[in-house]
Coordinates of all heavy atoms in Angstrom, one line a residue:
M1 N -110.1 74.7 26.3 CA -111.5 74.8 26.8 C -112.0 73.5 27.4 O -111.6 72.5 27.0 CB -112.4 75.2 25.7 CG -112.9 76.6 25.7 SD -114.1 76.8 24.4 CE -113.6 78.4 23.8
E2 N -112.8 73.7 28.4 CA -113.3 72.5 29.0 C -114.4 71.9 28.1 O -115.0 72.6 27.3 CB -113.9 72.8 30.4 CG -112.9 73.1 31.4 CD -113.5 73.2 32.8 OE1 -114.5 72.5 33.1 OE2 -113.0 74.0 33.6
R3 N -114.6 70.7 28.3 CA -115.6 69.9 27.4 C -117.0 70.6 27.5 O -117.6 70.7 26.5 CB -115.7 68.5 27.8 CG -116.5 67.6 27.0 CD -116.4 66.1 27.4 NE -117.0 65.2 26.5 CZ -118.3 65.0 26.4 NH1 -119.2 65.7 27.1 NH2 -118.8 64.2 25.4
E4 N -117.5 70.9 28.7 CA -118.8 71.4 28.8 C -119.0 72.7 28.1 O -120.0 73.0 27.5 CB -119.1 71.6 30.3 CG -119.2 70.3 31.1 CD -117.9 69.7 31.5 OE1 -116.9 70.5 31.5 OE2 -117.8 68.6 31.8
V5 N -117.9 73.6 28.1 CA -118.0 74.9 27.5 C -118.0 74.6 25.9 O -118.8 75.3 25.3 CB -116.8 75.7 27.9 CG1 -116.7 77.0 27.1 CG2 -116.8 76.0 29.4
L6 N -117.2 73.7 25.4 CA -117.2 73.4 24.0 C -118.6 72.9 23.6 O -119.1 73.3 22.5 CB -116.2 72.4 23.7 CG -114.7 72.8 23.7 CD1 -113.8 71.6 23.6 CD2 -114.5 73.8 22.6
V7 N -119.2 72.0 24.3 CA -120.5 71.5 24.0 C -121.5 72.6 24.0 O -122.3 72.7 23.0 CB -120.9 70.3 24.9 CG1 -122.4 69.9 24.7 CG2 -120.0 69.1 24.8
R8 N -121.5 73.4 25.0 CA -122.5 74.5 25.1 C -122.3 75.5 23.9 O -123.3 75.9 23.3 CB -122.3 75.3 26.4 CG -123.5 75.9 26.9 CD -123.3 76.4 28.4 NE -122.3 75.6 29.1 CZ -121.5 76.0 29.9 NH1 -121.5 77.3 30.3 NH2 -120.6 75.3 30.5
N9 N -121.1 75.9 23.6 CA -120.8 76.8 22.5 C -121.3 76.1 21.1 O -121.9 76.8 20.3 CB -119.3 77.2 22.4 CG -118.9 78.1 23.5 OD1 -119.7 78.7 24.2 ND2 -117.6 78.2 23.7
T10 N -121.0 74.9 21.0 CA -121.3 74.2 19.7 C -122.8 74.1 19.6 O -123.4 74.4 18.5 CB -120.7 72.8 19.7 OG1 -119.3 72.9 19.9 CG2 -121.0 72.0 18.4
V11 N -123.5 73.7 20.6 CA -125.0 73.7 20.6 C -125.6 75.0 20.3 O -126.5 75.1 19.5 CB -125.6 73.1 21.9 CG1 -127.1 73.2 22.0 CG2 -125.2 71.6 22.1
G12 N -125.0 76.0 20.9 CA -125.5 77.4 20.6 C -125.3 77.8 19.1 O -126.3 78.4 18.5
M13 N -124.2 77.5 18.5 CA -124.0 77.8 17.1 C -124.8 76.9 16.2 O -125.3 77.4 15.2 CB -122.5 77.6 16.8 CG -121.6 78.6 17.4 SD -119.9 78.5 16.8 CE -119.3 77.2 18.0
I14 N -125.0 75.7 16.6 CA -125.9 74.8 15.8 C -127.3 75.3 15.8 O -128.0 75.3 14.8 CB -125.8 73.3 16.3 CG1 -124.5 72.7 16.0 CG2 -126.9 72.5 15.7 CD1 -124.2 71.4 16.7
G15 N -127.7 75.8 16.9 CA -129.1 76.4 17.0 C -129.3 77.6 16.1 O -130.5 77.9 15.7
Q16 N -128.3 78.2 15.6 CA -128.4 79.3 14.7 C -128.4 78.9 13.2 O -128.7 79.7 12.3 CB -127.3 80.3 14.9 CG -127.3 80.9 16.3 CD -126.1 81.8 16.6 OE1 -125.3 82.1 15.7 NE2 -125.9 82.1 17.9
L17 N -128.1 77.7 12.9 CA -128.0 77.2 11.6 C -129.4 76.9 11.0 O -130.3 76.5 11.7 CB -127.1 76.0 11.5 CG -125.7 76.1 11.9 CD1 -125.0 74.8 11.9 CD2 -125.0 77.0 10.9
P18 N -129.5 76.9 9.7 CA -130.7 76.4 9.0 C -130.8 74.9 9.1 O -129.8 74.2 9.3 CB -130.6 76.8 7.6 CG -129.2 77.3 7.4 CD -128.6 77.5 8.7
T19 N -132.0 74.4 9.0 CA -132.3 73.0 9.2 C -131.4 72.1 8.3 O -130.9 71.1 8.8 CB -133.8 72.6 8.9 OG1 -134.6 73.5 9.7 CG2 -134.1 71.2 9.1
K20 N -131.2 72.5 7.1 CA -130.3 71.7 6.2 C -128.9 71.5 6.8 O -128.3 70.4 6.8 CB -130.3 72.3 4.8 CG -129.5 71.5 3.8 CD -129.5 72.2 2.5 CE -128.7 71.3 1.5 NZ -128.6 71.9 0.2
R21 N -128.4 72.6 7.3 CA -127.0 72.6 7.9 C -127.0 71.8 9.2 O -126.0 71.1 9.5 CB -126.5 74.0 8.1 CG -126.3 74.8 6.8 CD -125.3 74.1 6.0 NE -125.1 74.9 4.8 CZ -124.7 74.5 3.6 NH1 -124.3 73.2 3.5 NH2 -124.6 75.3 2.6
V22 N -128.0 71.9 10.0 CA -128.1 71.1 11.2 C -128.1 69.6 10.9 O -127.4 68.8 11.6 CB -129.4 71.4 12.0 CG1 -129.6 70.5 13.2 CG2 -129.4 72.9 12.5
Q23 N -128.8 69.2 9.8 CA -128.8 67.8 9.4 C -127.3 67.4 9.0 O -126.9 66.3 9.3 CB -129.7 67.6 8.2 CG -129.8 66.1 7.7 CD -130.3 65.2 8.8 OE1 -131.3 65.4 9.5 NE2 -129.6 64.1 9.1
E24 N -126.6 68.3 8.3 CA -125.2 68.0 7.9 C -124.3 67.7 9.2 O -123.5 66.8 9.2 CB -124.6 69.1 7.1 CG -125.2 69.1 5.7 CD -124.6 70.3 4.9 OE1 -123.5 70.7 5.2 OE2 -125.2 70.7 4.0
V25 N -124.5 68.6 10.2 CA -123.8 68.5 11.4 C -124.1 67.2 12.1 O -123.3 66.4 12.6 CB -124.1 69.7 12.3 CG1 -123.4 69.5 13.7 CG2 -123.5 71.0 11.7
N26 N -125.4 66.8 12.1 CA -125.9 65.6 12.7 C -125.3 64.4 12.0 O -124.8 63.5 12.7 CB -127.4 65.5 12.7 CG -127.9 64.3 13.3 OD1 -127.8 64.1 14.5 ND2 -128.5 63.4 12.5
D27 N -125.3 64.4 10.7 CA -124.7 63.3 9.9 C -123.2 63.1 10.3 O -122.7 62.0 10.4 CB -124.8 63.5 8.4 CG -126.3 63.4 8.0 OD1 -127.1 62.9 8.7 OD2 -126.6 63.9 6.9
F28 N -122.5 64.3 10.4 CA -121.0 64.2 10.7 C -120.8 63.7 12.1 O -119.9 62.8 12.3 CB -120.4 65.6 10.6 CG -118.9 65.6 10.8 CD1 -118.1 65.0 10.0 CD2 -118.4 66.3 11.9 CE1 -116.7 65.0 10.2 CE2 -117.1 66.3 12.1 CZ -116.2 65.6 11.3
V29 N -121.6 64.1 13.1 CA -121.5 63.6 14.4 C -121.8 62.1 14.5 O -121.1 61.4 15.2 CB -122.4 64.4 15.4 CG1 -122.4 63.8 16.8 CG2 -121.9 65.9 15.5
E30 N -122.8 61.7 13.8 CA -123.1 60.2 13.7 C -121.9 59.4 13.1 O -121.5 58.4 13.6 CB -124.3 59.9 12.9 CG -125.6 60.3 13.6 CD -126.8 60.0 12.7 OE1 -126.7 59.6 11.5 OE2 -127.9 60.2 13.2
F31 N -121.3 60.0 12.1 CA -120.1 59.4 11.5 C -118.9 59.3 12.5 O -118.3 58.2 12.6 CB -119.7 60.2 10.3 CG -118.3 59.8 9.7 CD1 -118.1 58.6 9.0 CD2 -117.2 60.6 10.0 CE1 -116.8 58.3 8.6 CE2 -115.9 60.3 9.5 CZ -115.8 59.1 8.8
I32 N -118.6 60.3 13.2 CA -117.5 60.3 14.1 C -117.8 59.4 15.3 O -117.0 58.6 15.7 CB -117.3 61.8 14.7 CG1 -116.8 62.7 13.6 CG2 -116.4 61.7 15.9 CD1 -116.7 64.1 14.0
T33 N -119.1 59.4 15.8 CA -119.5 58.5 16.8 C -119.3 57.0 16.4 O -118.8 56.2 17.2 CB -120.9 58.7 17.2 OG1 -121.0 60.1 17.6 CG2 -121.3 57.9 18.4
R34 N -119.8 56.7 15.2 CA -119.6 55.3 14.7 C -118.2 54.9 14.6 O -117.8 53.8 15.0 CB -120.4 55.2 13.3 CG -120.9 53.9 13.0 CD -121.8 53.8 11.8 NE -122.6 55.0 11.6 CZ -122.5 55.8 10.5 NH1 -121.5 55.6 9.7 NH2 -123.2 56.9 10.4
R35 N -117.4 55.8 14.0 CA -115.9 55.5 13.8 C -115.2 55.3 15.1 O -114.4 54.4 15.3 CB -115.3 56.7 13.0 CG -113.9 56.4 12.7 CD -113.3 57.5 11.8 NE -113.2 58.7 12.6 CZ -112.7 59.8 12.1 NH1 -112.4 60.0 10.8 NH2 -112.6 60.9 12.9
T36 N -115.6 56.2 16.1 CA -115.0 56.0 17.5 C -115.4 54.7 18.1 O -114.6 54.0 18.7 CB -115.4 57.2 18.4 OG1 -115.0 58.4 17.7 CG2 -114.8 57.1 19.7
G37 N -116.7 54.4 18.0 CA -117.1 53.1 18.5 C -116.5 51.9 17.8 O -116.1 51.0 18.5
D38 N -116.3 52.0 16.5 CA -115.7 50.9 15.8 C -114.2 50.7 16.2 O -113.7 49.6 16.4 CB -115.7 51.1 14.3 CG -117.1 51.0 13.7 OD1 -118.0 50.5 14.4 OD2 -117.3 51.4 12.5
A39 N -113.5 51.9 16.4 CA -112.1 51.8 16.9 C -112.0 51.2 18.3 O -111.1 50.4 18.5 CB -111.5 53.2 16.8
M40 N -113.0 51.5 19.1 CA -112.9 51.0 20.5 C -113.2 49.5 20.5 O -112.6 48.7 21.2 CB -114.0 51.7 21.4 CG -113.6 53.2 21.7 SD -114.9 54.1 22.5 CE -115.3 53.0 23.9
I41 N -114.1 49.1 19.6 CA -114.4 47.6 19.5 C -113.2 46.9 19.0 O -112.8 45.8 19.5 CB -115.7 47.4 18.6 CG1 -116.9 47.9 19.3 CG2 -115.8 45.9 18.2 CD1 -118.1 47.9 18.5
T42 N -112.6 47.4 17.9 CA -111.4 46.8 17.3 C -110.3 46.7 18.3 O -109.7 45.6 18.5 CB -110.9 47.6 16.1 OG1 -112.0 47.6 15.2 CG2 -109.7 47.0 15.5
K43 N -110.1 47.7 19.1 CA -109.0 47.7 20.1 C -109.3 46.7 21.2 O -108.4 45.9 21.6 CB -108.8 49.1 20.7 CG -107.7 49.2 21.7 CD -107.5 50.6 22.2 CE -106.4 50.7 23.2 NZ -106.2 52.0 23.8
G44 N -110.5 46.6 21.6 CA -110.9 45.7 22.6 C -110.7 44.2 22.1 O -110.2 43.4 22.9
L45 N -111.1 44.0 20.9 CA -110.9 42.6 20.3 C -109.5 42.3 20.2 O -109.1 41.1 20.5 CB -111.6 42.5 19.0 CG -113.1 42.5 19.0 CD1 -113.7 42.6 17.5 CD2 -113.7 41.3 19.7
Q46 N -108.6 43.2 19.8 CA -107.2 43.0 19.8 C -106.6 42.6 21.1 O -105.8 41.7 21.3 CB -106.5 44.2 19.2 CG -106.7 44.4 17.7 CD -106.2 45.7 17.2 OE1 -105.9 46.6 17.9 NE2 -106.0 45.7 15.9
Q47 N -107.1 43.4 22.1 CA -106.6 43.1 23.5 C -107.1 41.7 24.0 O -106.3 41.0 24.5 CB -107.1 44.2 24.5 CG -106.4 45.5 24.3 CD -107.0 46.6 25.2 OE1 -108.1 46.4 25.7 NE2 -106.3 47.7 25.3
L48 N -108.3 41.4 23.7 CA -108.8 40.1 24.1 C -108.1 38.9 23.4 O -107.7 37.9 24.0 CB -110.3 39.9 23.8 CG -111.2 40.7 24.7 CD1 -112.7 40.6 24.2 CD2 -111.2 40.2 26.1
T49 N -107.8 39.1 22.1 CA -107.1 38.1 21.4 C -105.7 37.9 21.9 O -105.2 36.8 22.1 CB -107.0 38.5 19.9 OG1 -108.4 38.6 19.4 CG2 -106.3 37.4 19.1
S50 N -105.0 39.0 22.2 CA -103.6 38.9 22.7 C -103.6 38.3 24.1 O -102.6 37.5 24.4 CB -102.9 40.3 22.7 OG -103.5 41.1 23.6
I51 N -104.6 38.6 24.9 CA -104.6 38.1 26.3 C -104.9 36.6 26.2 O -104.3 35.8 27.0 CB -105.7 38.8 27.1 CG1 -105.2 40.2 27.4 CG2 -105.9 38.1 28.4 CD1 -106.2 41.1 28.0
S52 N -105.9 36.2 25.4 CA -106.3 34.8 25.3 C -105.4 33.8 24.6 O -105.5 32.6 24.7 CB -107.7 34.7 24.7 OG -107.6 34.9 23.3
H53 N -104.5 34.4 23.8 CA -103.6 33.6 23.0 C -104.3 32.6 22.1 O -103.9 31.6 21.8 CB -102.6 32.9 23.9 CG -101.8 33.8 24.7 ND1 -100.8 34.6 24.2 CD2 -101.9 34.1 26.1 CE1 -100.3 35.4 25.2 NE2 -100.9 35.0 26.4
S54 N -105.5 33.0 21.6 CA -106.3 32.1 20.8 C -105.8 31.8 19.5 O -106.2 30.8 18.8 CB -107.8 32.6 20.7 OG -107.7 33.9 20.1
N55 N -104.9 32.7 19.0 CA -104.3 32.4 17.7 C -102.9 31.8 17.7 O -102.2 31.7 16.7 CB -104.3 33.8 16.9 CG -105.6 34.2 16.5 OD1 -106.5 33.4 16.3 ND2 -105.8 35.5 16.4
D56 N -102.5 31.4 18.9 CA -101.1 30.9 19.0 C -100.9 29.6 18.2 O -99.8 29.3 17.9 CB -100.8 30.6 20.5 CG -100.5 31.9 21.3 OD1 -100.4 33.0 20.7 OD2 -100.4 31.8 22.5
F57 N -102.0 28.9 18.0 CA -101.8 27.7 17.2 C -101.3 27.9 15.8 O -100.7 27.1 15.2 CB -103.2 26.9 17.1 CG -104.2 27.6 16.2 CD1 -104.3 27.2 14.9 CD2 -105.0 28.6 16.6 CE1 -105.2 27.8 14.0 CE2 -105.9 29.2 15.8 CZ -106.0 28.8 14.5
L58 N -101.5 29.1 15.3 CA -101.0 29.5 14.0 C -99.4 29.5 14.0 O -98.8 29.2 13.0 CB -101.5 30.8 13.5 CG -103.0 30.9 13.3 CD1 -103.4 32.3 13.0 CD2 -103.4 30.0 12.1
N59 N -98.8 29.8 15.1 CA -97.4 29.9 15.2 C -96.8 28.5 15.2 O -95.6 28.2 14.8 CB -96.9 30.6 16.4 CG -97.3 32.1 16.3 OD1 -97.4 32.7 15.3 ND2 -97.6 32.6 17.5
D60 N -97.5 27.5 15.7 CA -97.1 26.1 15.9 C -97.4 25.2 14.7 O -97.1 24.1 14.7 CB -97.6 25.5 17.2 CG -97.2 26.3 18.4 OD1 -96.1 26.9 18.3 OD2 -98.0 26.3 19.4
E61 N -98.1 25.8 13.7 CA -98.6 25.0 12.6 C -97.4 24.6 11.7 O -96.6 25.5 11.3 CB -99.6 25.7 11.8 CG -100.3 24.9 10.7 CD -101.4 25.7 10.0 OE1 -101.8 26.8 10.5 OE2 -101.9 25.2 9.1
P62 N -97.2 23.4 11.3 CA -96.1 23.0 10.5 C -96.2 23.5 9.0 O -97.3 23.7 8.5 CB -96.1 21.5 10.5 CG -97.5 21.1 10.8 CD -98.0 22.3 11.7
E63 N -95.1 23.8 8.4 CA -95.1 24.2 7.0 C -95.4 23.0 6.1 O -94.6 22.0 6.1 CB -93.8 24.9 6.6 CG -93.5 26.2 7.4 CD -94.4 27.3 7.1 OE1 -94.9 27.3 5.9 OE2 -94.7 28.1 7.9
I64 N -96.5 23.0 5.4 CA -96.8 21.8 4.6 C -96.6 22.1 3.1 O -96.7 21.2 2.3 CB -98.3 21.3 4.9 CG1 -99.3 22.5 4.6 CG2 -98.4 20.8 6.3 CD1 -100.7 22.0 4.7
Y65 N -96.4 23.3 2.8 CA -96.2 23.7 1.4 C -94.8 24.4 1.3 O -94.4 25.1 2.2 CB -97.3 24.6 0.8 CG -98.6 23.9 0.8 CD1 -99.6 24.3 1.7 CD2 -98.9 22.9 -0.1 CE1 -100.8 23.7 1.7 CE2 -100.2 22.3 -0.1 CZ -101.1 22.7 0.8 OH -102.4 22.1 0.8
S66 N -94.2 24.2 0.1 CA -93.0 24.9 -0.2 C -93.0 25.6 -1.5 O -94.0 25.4 -2.3 CB -91.8 24.0 -0.1 OG -91.8 23.1 -1.2
V67 N -92.0 26.3 -1.9 CA -91.9 26.9 -3.2 C -92.0 25.9 -4.3 O -92.6 26.2 -5.4 CB -90.6 27.7 -3.3 CG1 -90.5 28.4 -4.7 CG2 -90.6 28.8 -2.3
N68 N -91.6 24.7 -4.1 CA -91.6 23.7 -5.1 C -93.1 23.2 -5.4 O -93.3 22.6 -6.5 CB -90.8 22.4 -4.6 CG -89.4 22.8 -4.5 OD1 -88.8 23.6 -5.2 ND2 -88.7 22.1 -3.5
D69 N -94.0 23.5 -4.6 CA -95.4 23.2 -4.8 C -96.1 24.1 -5.7 O -97.2 23.8 -6.2 CB -96.2 23.1 -3.5 CG -95.7 22.0 -2.6 OD1 -95.4 20.9 -3.1 OD2 -95.5 22.3 -1.4
L70 N -95.5 25.3 -6.0 CA -96.1 26.3 -6.9 C -96.2 25.7 -8.3 O -95.2 25.2 -8.9 CB -95.3 27.6 -6.9 CG -95.3 28.3 -5.5 CD1 -94.4 29.5 -5.7 CD2 -96.7 28.7 -5.1
K71 N -97.3 26.0 -9.0 CA -97.5 25.6 -10.4 C -96.9 26.7 -11.3 O -96.4 26.5 -12.3 CB -98.9 25.3 -10.7 CG -99.5 24.1 -10.1 CD -100.9 23.8 -10.5 CE -101.4 22.6 -9.8 NZ -102.7 22.2 -10.2
V72 N -97.2 28.0 -10.8 CA -96.7 29.1 -11.6 C -95.9 30.0 -10.6 O -96.4 30.3 -9.5 CB -97.9 30.0 -12.2 CG1 -97.4 31.2 -12.9 CG2 -98.7 29.1 -13.1
K73 N -94.8 30.5 -11.1 CA -93.9 31.4 -10.2 C -93.9 32.7 -10.9 O -93.5 32.8 -12.1 CB -92.5 30.8 -10.0 CG -92.5 29.5 -9.3 CD -91.1 29.0 -9.2 CE -91.1 27.6 -8.5 NZ -89.8 27.0 -8.4
Y74 N -94.3 33.8 -10.2 CA -94.2 35.1 -10.7 C -93.0 35.8 -10.2 O -92.6 35.7 -9.0 CB -95.5 35.9 -10.2 CG -96.7 35.3 -10.8 CD1 -97.5 34.4 -10.0 CD2 -97.2 35.7 -12.1 CE1 -98.7 33.9 -10.6 CE2 -98.4 35.1 -12.6 CZ -99.1 34.2 -11.8 OH -100.3 33.7 -12.3
V75 N -92.3 36.5 -11.1 CA -91.0 37.1 -10.7 C -91.2 38.6 -10.7 O -91.9 39.2 -11.3 CB -89.9 36.8 -11.7 CG1 -88.6 37.4 -11.3 CG2 -89.7 35.3 -11.7

């Protein structure tokens, strides 16, 4: 189905629901919208970080601690 048809059908069905159920649908749509937005922001930040190479200094950092520096060793 095309998006417009799905939206129209969904709005029509929502219009038949009692107010309490419409609120539940609204809450769910807000949740999905927020989750989608968060995922888009996260993906964008990951792309920017990989393009900018801003964390590359972590790969060049010398190892200053070794296993011998541990006070307690868990096996």
Side-chain angles (χ1 to χ4, degrees):
M1 251 186 221
E2 289 187 33
R3 184 177 192 281
E4 294 80 19
V5 174
L6 285 171
V7 171
R8 208 169 332 143
N9 289 345
T10 303
V11 170
M13 287 186 278
I14 291 172
Q16 298 173 12
L17 295 172
T19 303
K20 183 178 179 180
R21 297 297 182 203
V22 173
Q23 183 61 51
E24 288 179 25
V25 172
N26 182 64
D27 292 345
F28 183 66
V29 171
E30 285 179 358
F31 167 74
I32 292 173
T33 303
R34 208 173 323 114
R35 186 175 67 183
T36 303
D38 290 348
M40 289 173 54
I41 290 170
T42 301
K43 184 177 179 182
L45 288 173
Q46 288 172 342
Q47 288 176 345
L48 286 174
T49 302
S50 68
I51 291 170
S52 71
H53 304 286
S54 60
N55 292 329
D56 285 352
F57 73 94
L58 294 173
N59 297 328
D60 299 330
E61 188 173 355
E63 296 293 331
I64 57 175
Y65 297 107
S66 70
V67 176
N68 297 330
D69 295 315
L70 295 175
K71 292 182 179 182
V72 178
K73 297 180 184 179
Y74 296 97
V75 179

